[in-house]
Amino acid sequence: MIAIQQSERNGKVVAATLVHPDDEIMLITDKGVLVRTRVAEIRELGRATQGVTLIALDAGAKLIGLQRIVENDANGDPTEESPEENA
């Protein structure tokens, strides 16, 4: 399966996860920068593309992780999913 057309421009795939339109994702850099984005606001592209830019990295910074954020039905507050849901 091809997840993304890798190139010098976009680098290596750091993470991939299944999401729902009402989820949010958190992007995490090695410099401690966190960016939270609604999945519904990310435009979809064809499968042979190089992706969309979700975070602009500072010089020398690297993206080290991605976490799916889901709504918690118990109290209505957004919470991170449990590690078991990632498996």
Side-chain angles (χ1 to χ4, degrees):
M1 170 171 65
I2 298 173
I4 188 170
Q5 292 293 326
Q6 182 183 347
S7 70
E8 186 66 31
R9 180 188 75 83
N10 59 11
K12 296 180 180 180
V13 174
V14 174
T17 188
L18 295 175
V19 294
H20 300 283
D22 56 339
D23 292 342
E24 295 182 353
I25 58 170
M26 180 83 65
L27 302 166
I28 305 150
T29 73
D30 63 344
K31 304 292 185 186
V33 175
L34 305 173
V35 173
R36 188 170 177 162
T37 303
R38 290 181 192 93
V39 170
E41 294 177 2
I42 301 171
R43 61 190 166 111
E44 296 180 29
L45 297 174
R47 62 184 188 143
T49 65
Q50 291 187 356
V52 296
T53 301
L54 299 178
I55 185 172
L57 298 173
D58 293 334
K62 294 182 181 181
L63 186 67
I64 59 169
L66 170 136
Q67 180 66 49
R68 178 176 161 231
I69 310 294
V70 297
E71 289 291 325
N72 183 348
D73 291 334
N75 59 16
D77 294 332
T79 59
E80 292 185 22
E81 70 178 1
S82 65
E84 297 81 36
E85 291 177 12
N86 247 354

